[in-house]
Amino acid sequence: MNSILFEIKEGLLISLRAIKANKIRSVLTTLGIVIGVFAVVVMSNAVRGIDKSFQEGVSSLGSDNLYIDKWAWFNSEIPWWEMRNRKNLTLEDFEKFKELARLPVAVAPSMWSTENVKYEDEIAQFTNVQGTTAEYIETTNLDFESGRFFTELESNASRNVAVIGSAIADVLFEEGQGVGYEIEIENKKFKVVGILSEQGSHVMGNFNPDNQVYITIGSMFKYFMSTHRRSLTINVRAGSSLEVADVKEEAIGVMRRVRGLKFNEINDFSINQQEGLLSEINSTVGVIQIAGFIITGLSLFVGAIGIMNIMFVSVKERTKEIGIRKAIGAKKRTILSQFIAESAIICLLGGMIGLFFSVLATLMIQNTDFPISLDFDAVILAVSISLIVGVFSGFAPAYKASTLDPVDALRYE
Amino acid sequence: MNIIRIEHIAKIYQVGSEEVHALRDVSLTIDKNEYVAIMGPSGSGKSTLMNILGCLDTPTKGLYDFKGINVSEMTDNELANIRNREIGFVFQTFNLLPRSNALHNVELPLIYSGVSSSDRKEKALEALEKVQLSDRVTHKPNELSGGQRQRVAIARALVTSPAIILADEPTGNLDTKTGEDIMALFNELHHQGNTIILVTHEEYIAEHANRIIRIRDGMIESDTEVRNRIIPKAHNVEN
Ligand SMILES: Nc1ncnc2c1ncn2[C@@H]1O[C@H](COP(=O)(O)OP(=O)(O)OP(=O)(O)O)[C@@H](O)[C@H]1O
Ligand SMILES: [Mg+2]
């Protein structure tokens, strides 16, 4: 055991000596690995960032929510044309549902429209404006930067009040301002009563609360949407994820009554869940991940081939040295580990340089708001990848070196 | 007790369709503290024989006992151990590691035999002192003269206190004067009790030894005791 440690130590010292003696070549050799590790680490940071941003976005929706909709959000067994023929969900449907459903802790309708939102000279174009009721806030996990959600009184009276997502607030107002201001949505004046705190989801599109403006559903129908033109969504909160199944069960029964379905008719609505969204997101992230790792893996592979190539050249050049070492008693495995150690050290060096630049790049990308995340895993990733590449690409050249015939090697000029 | 015993050794190289008989049928024994010179025309098989004796190469046929152990049955690792501990090889072209200084070159065999770094340094310095190079330990080979390089190589061969020192034309790349110095060194090593086999083309160098083996066409032509050995000026011992 001791002698193995001793050999490893001496092998490392010999390798370091050789690397020092060939500084320029060693640096050039590492270039491929620098680039490879850089690509892999930046890629994995980006994938992790995107994933985190998705997950955060989804969890801001609440894990115990149901969304009753005309459409199924994700691939369902019901063909899309059948769903298209379903009757729209209306405000009356919602009101009946609310009256009949006993289990949910909160229910609220949602109706979307895309509008330009203005404050003085600032315009947030194509903003998702969502009409809903006061109870909506209880179906979410949203919290406030300042102000509040609109009250039941305001929502019942269809007052022109608005609650604004953080990204929209950034566009329209100075930092820390906005509550109490009057904004215009398509020339209709609305008073801002609350600004949400940043939810940090860059990728959720329509689902991203940061990019929403919430108004009362009454105003929505009054100004932006004739009552039956589009189907609304009923947001249902179960209260805890344990109760989701029961709430769903009840919701199906209640909705069938609301829609007046006979026992032999199939449901003309869909009940959507975050779970579906999560699995959709996971598979999307999975695809990004696989694509990313194929691309970066390729660059790493090219780097590894480079190392292998240079190690072969190095073995060839140092044939005489290998002969000398063997003649004075170096064993096969000593030579093997010497060259593998050399390749591993070179790769590790390259990996460290690559890591350094990838951290810089990640920090720069973070400044642009692209979801990218930096953590200690990157170090482990870089170290393990470069070691693995070093050992793998060093093995064949090292094996060749170790099996050289000492007499032939000594004769080599 | 003899250190080396070979019987009916042959070495055949296959060059294309042709067989080259570098050694045909060589048998000899070498005893402890012998000083043997091997002579013969170029291409007669001297180096081939030395490489086999030094466990760098394996014979095509024949038996080789080193200290009573059959070498042809040894594994690669055992051969490496023999080369490392029992044999000190000195080459015509020195074969030092060019980027390492004298001290590190001499330490190298000890690294492979697992000697700790402090013991290693002590032994290496001792060996360098024996070859009168104490003032050159940090010099790299290209900062040393030919004779000095060969002395570093001899120190490297000595450092493990091997059972036998094999030298293949150690003075071949040196001028006459420097060659004489190196021969004086071998003489001294012999008197300190070392066993030495040395290949040379020069009669006057061979006459330092107490036994001369002449080889021709891969066979031993003659094997004679030397009566009137040349005794280098610096060391006046028996005649
Ligand atoms: N690897 C090899 N392949 C083929 N033939 C070889 C090989 N090595 C040596 N020989 C042949 O074996 C013979 C003996 O070679 P060796 O090197 O032993 O001669 P030598 O006596 O040392 O000569 P010199 O005095 O010139 O060094 C030569 O004819 C040589 O051509
Ligand atoms: Mg020769």
Side-chain angles (χ1 to χ4, degrees):
Chain A
M1 196 59 216
N2 252 340
S3 83
I4 289 176
L5 285 179
F6 179 86
E7 265 183 45
I8 290 173
K9 187 183 131 218
E10 295 299 335
L12 286 177
L13 287 177
I14 290 171
S15 317
L16 279 174
R17 206 185 277 266
I19 290 165
K20 257 163 81 188
N22 293 299
K23 283 190 201 77
I24 293 180
R25 189 173 62 197
S26 303
V27 167
L28 286 178
T29 311
T30 59
L31 214 58
I33 293 303
V34 170
I35 294 168
V37 166
F38 174 84
V40 170
V41 171
V42 170
M43 185 67 211
S44 98
N45 284 349
V47 168
R48 205 197 337 268
I50 290 168
D51 188 41
K52 210 155 121 187
S53 153
F54 271 128
Q55 304 289 354
E56 277 168 6
V58 172
S59 67
S60 75
L61 290 178
S63 62
D64 54 342
N65 282 33
L66 300 174
Y67 304 90
I68 305 171
D69 227 325
K70 176 174 166 182
W71 299 91
W73 288 357
F74 305 106
N75 34 349
S76 74
E77 54 282 15
I78 306 152
W80 67 272
W81 60 86
E82 256 173 53
M83 292 200 272
R84 193 190 50 188
N85 289 338
R86 289 169 171 179
K87 286 184 294 176
N88 283 344
L89 265 66
T90 63
L91 203 53
E92 293 78 59
D93 289 342
F94 161 72
E95 270 150 11
K96 273 191 234 159
F97 178 87
K98 184 172 157 69
E99 207 176 289
L100 293 171
R102 293 274 144 257
L103 297 178
V105 296
V107 287
S110 280
M111 172 62 80
W112 278 276
S113 175
T114 305
E115 310 292 347
N116 292 333
V117 179
K118 244 168 75 176
Y119 174 71
E120 293 184 342
D121 291 337
E122 308 295 343
I123 303 182
Q125 283 184 309
F126 310 115
T127 302
N128 266 307
V129 177
Q130 187 178 160
T132 185
T133 61
E135 212 172 307
Y136 177 80
I137 194 67
E138 283 154 50
T139 68
T140 69
N141 296 326
L142 298 173
D143 46 11
F144 287 83
E145 184 68 43
S146 57
R148 55 172 176 81
F149 208 70
F150 40 80
T151 62
E152 211 172 324
L153 207 73
E154 286 165 332
S155 105
N156 286 346
S158 301
R159 294 261 174 79
N160 286 5
V161 286
V163 171
I164 292 185
S166 66
I168 306 292
D170 285 347
V171 173
L172 297 182
F173 310 122
E174 305 272 311
E175 176 87 43
Q177 299 184 340
V179 173
Y181 289 21
E182 246 180 17
I183 57 168
E184 281 181 20
I185 305 175
E186 300 295 328
N187 302 323
K188 304 290 183 299
K189 289 192 162 42
F190 286 80
K191 189 175 155 213
V192 177
V193 296
I195 292 175
L196 298 175
S197 54
E198 189 181 335
Q199 306 300 311
S201 167
H202 300 275
V203 282
M204 296 290 298
N206 281 356
F207 290 107
N208 184 1
D210 292 349
N211 293 326
Q212 310 262 340
V213 169
Y214 300 88
I215 61 173
T216 62
I217 192 140
S219 311
M220 174 59 89
F221 284 128
K222 193 157 75 191
Y223 302 125
F224 308 118
M225 190 73 58
S226 54
T227 320
H228 291 278
R229 212 178 99 206
R230 258 199 234 166
S231 182
L232 53 71
T233 299
I234 302 173
N235 303 269
V236 180
R237 180 158 226 189
S240 86
S241 41
L242 291 175
E243 287 158 69
V244 170
D246 290 344
V247 173
K248 187 173 181 177
E249 187 76 36
E250 187 202 47
I252 293 170
V254 171
M255 275 310 287
R256 289 185 64 87
R257 274 180 68 191
V258 168
R259 304 281 261 184
L261 297 177
K262 300 204 183 70
F263 73 94
N264 58 350
E265 285 177 309
I266 56 161
N267 293 348
D268 62 349
F269 55 89
S270 290
I271 298 196
N272 297 302
Q273 261 175 284
Q274 192 204 67
E275 240 169 64
L277 194 59
L278 266 181
S279 66
E280 194 80 353
I281 284 169
N282 286 341
S283 66
T284 308
V285 171
V287 169
I288 296 174
Q289 215 157 22
I290 289 165
F293 281 112
I294 287 174
I295 295 163
T296 53
L298 226 62
S299 79
L300 208 59
F301 183 71
V302 173
I305 296 285
I307 297 265
M308 193 184 286
N309 190 24
I310 300 225
M311 287 307 292
F312 268 121
V313 172
S314 172
V315 166
K316 185 97 188 152
E317 266 181 8
R318 283 148 70 191
T319 301
K320 182 121 189 179
E321 175 195 323
I322 295 162
I324 295 171
R325 290 181 186 280
K326 289 198 134 185
I328 61 176
K331 296 187 179 77
K332 262 187 186 170
R333 67 155 190 269
T334 317
I335 300 286
L336 187 77
S337 52
Q338 176 194 333
F339 279 89
I340 288 179
E342 195 173 317
S343 152
I345 292 173
I346 289 177
C347 285
L348 201 59
L349 248 108
M352 293 297 101
I353 299 170
L355 178 66
F356 173 76
F357 283 113
S358 64
V359 168
L360 280 189
T362 304
L363 291 175
M364 274 161 63
I365 294 170
Q366 261 173 352
N367 275 339
T368 68
D369 248 21
F370 183 85
I372 189 163
S373 122
L374 185 64
D375 62 61
F376 190 71
D377 286 7
V379 178
I380 296 168
L381 187 72
V383 169
S384 48
I385 281 181
S386 39
L387 275 181
I388 290 169
V389 168
V391 169
F392 268 80
S393 50
F395 187 83
Y399 185 76
K400 190 185 163 201
S402 75
T403 53
L404 283 177
D405 179 69
V407 177
D408 290 342
L410 277 171
R411 205 176 281 141
Y412 185 87
E413 286 303 328
Chain B
M1 175 194 128
N2 49 48
I3 295 176
I4 283 175
R5 183 167 67 95
I6 57 173
E7 276 172 19
H8 309 297
I9 288 280
K11 179 76 186 179
I12 302 161
Y13 291 107
Q14 195 74 40
V15 181
S17 59
E18 209 181 327
E19 283 189 345
V20 178
H21 292 255
L23 292 176
R24 289 173 194 280
D25 184 0
V26 177
S27 302
L28 56 80
T29 57
I30 310 278
D31 288 341
K32 196 164 162 42
N33 202 21
E34 270 199 287
Y35 186 178
V36 181
I38 296 179
M39 298 197 70
S42 185
S44 55
K46 304 182 296 295
S47 295
T48 307
L49 178 60
M50 289 295 268
N51 289 341
I52 288 171
L53 294 180
C55 296
L56 286 171
D57 208 350
T58 46
T60 316
K61 280 184 230 161
L63 176 95
Y64 179 10
D65 271 357
F66 188 92
K67 281 184 160 177
I69 302 165
N70 188 352
V71 171
S72 51
E73 280 172 5
M74 287 187 187
T75 63
D76 277 350
N77 272 354
E78 287 169 333
L79 286 174
N81 273 334
I82 294 263
R83 288 199 293 269
N84 185 226
R85 288 156 210 230
E86 305 285 1
I87 291 165
F89 220 112
V90 178
F91 303 89
Q92 179 177 354
T93 52
F94 322 133
N95 284 342
L96 300 173
L97 294 185
R99 290 187 288 259
S100 301
N101 64 28
L103 181 64
H104 185 253
N105 265 293
V106 177
E107 275 185 297
L108 206 54
L110 299 176
I111 291 179
Y112 292 135
S113 55
V115 177
S116 75
S117 67
S118 56
D119 286 359
R120 210 154 74 197
K121 191 164 178 194
E122 198 185 307
K123 285 188 178 173
L125 288 173
E126 217 172 274
L128 281 164
E129 198 183 327
K130 267 191 204 162
V131 299
Q132 286 125 43
L133 275 182
S134 296
D135 53 343
R136 292 286 186 277
V137 288
T138 58
H139 289 231
K140 297 205 170 140
N142 63 1
E143 298 158 355
L144 295 169
S145 72
Q148 287 169 333
R149 285 183 214 182
Q150 194 58 297
R151 280 192 273 159
V152 173
I154 292 169
R156 181 180 66 187
L158 285 176
V159 76
T160 54
S161 316
I164 190 164
I165 294 170
L166 302 176
D168 192 352
E169 299 192 49
T171 60
N173 276 17
L174 303 173
D175 60 65
T176 318
K177 167 76 187 58
T178 321
E180 269 299 317
D181 291 347
I182 294 295
M183 291 318 297
L185 185 55
F186 276 111
N187 256 36
E188 196 182 319
L189 294 176
H190 176 228
H191 283 291
Q192 285 163 3
N194 286 291
T195 313
I196 299 169
I197 307 179
L198 180 143
V199 171
T200 181
H201 282 292
E202 319 280 355
E203 286 294 338
Y204 76 90
I205 287 179
E207 279 159 15
H208 290 273
N210 54 15
R211 177 177 166 196
I212 297 180
I213 297 172
R214 288 176 201 277
I215 295 189
R216 185 178 294 275
D217 291 336
M219 311 257 270
I220 292 180
E221 187 184 49
S222 68
D223 186 344
T224 51
E225 295 278 313
V226 177
R227 296 264 171 250
N228 302 313
R229 287 186 60 214
I230 292 180
I231 294 135
K233 299 146 223 156
H235 311 276
N236 32 342
V237 246
E238 64 169 270
N239 70 325

